[in-house]
Amino acid sequence: GPGRKTLYYYETFVVVDILNKLLGFNGWNYENLSTEKDIWYDEKTKKWNGDCIVEGRLKLRDGTIRVSSGESPNYNVKSRNLAKSGLKKSAESDALKRCARLFGNKLGGGLYNDVFRSEVEISMLESRVKDKK
């Protein structure tokens, strides 16, 4: 990343788990506000391309709202079906994570902070161990 900073990727289930642990399963709501999807064939490369942009809204029980968008590109693939595959789901996930990040460190803004990241990883490991018992 910028300035040689290591960038981390978190699966959507990690962000959902953080939201549920901090707010309760009914303490938040995510809504898709709009979806734009485009699929096209590039004659020059003889490949299919796809792109999807989703605008989402994350609302907390107290009424606080954050809106952000997520994108999912899928370029240079062999078939139209592969170009379409998973575009909306991936863009939805990205939008949810971006919305959560806007609420600050506890809800995703701290994913690049080493201390916060290690706390999340320890918490996730602990919950997985409990789930297996």
Side-chain angles (χ1 to χ4, degrees):
R4 296 183 167 249
K5 185 172 183 78
T6 302
L7 299 179
Y8 298 92
Y9 175 81
Y10 278 88
E11 298 283 344
T12 306
F13 80 88
V14 172
V15 176
V16 169
D17 192 59
I18 292 169
L19 288 166
N20 286 337
K21 283 182 177 180
L22 293 176
L23 305 169
F25 75 93
N26 63 348
W28 62 280
N29 180 54
Y30 173 78
E31 180 182 359
N32 177 336
L33 300 175
S34 67
T35 300
E36 293 179 30
K37 194 186 304 187
D38 194 17
I39 309 290
W40 69 95
Y41 184 73
D42 186 334
E43 288 290 339
K44 187 176 180 181
T45 63
K46 306 291 187 211
K47 301 280 185 174
W48 284 91
N49 300 284
D51 194 31
C52 184
I53 298 173
V54 168
E55 183 178 34
R57 173 174 54 204
L58 181 59
K59 182 177 181 180
L60 305 187
R61 188 182 343 202
D62 70 359
T64 308
I65 293 173
R66 295 291 184 270
V67 175
S68 192
S69 60
E71 183 179 13
S72 174
N74 201 356
Y75 301 134
N76 298 317
V77 295
K78 293 181 181 182
S79 73
R80 187 174 199 282
N81 284 340
L82 284 175
K84 289 190 327 185
S85 177
L87 283 179
K88 185 176 179 195
K89 180 178 181 280
S90 182
E92 273 301 347
S93 296
D94 192 36
L96 170 62
K97 290 185 279 189
R98 288 172 178 257
C99 286
R101 184 182 56 85
L102 295 174
F103 280 104
N105 282 350
K106 288 285 186 193
L107 295 181
L111 293 179
Y112 300 119
N113 175 300
D114 291 337
V115 173
F116 177 80
R117 202 181 64 259
S118 64
E119 287 174 4
V120 168
E121 289 167 356
I122 289 167
S123 172
M124 295 307 297
L125 287 173
E126 288 171 349
S127 69
R128 285 193 178 154
V129 169
K130 288 177 188 173
D131 290 343
K132 289 183 179 183
K133 289 183 178 179

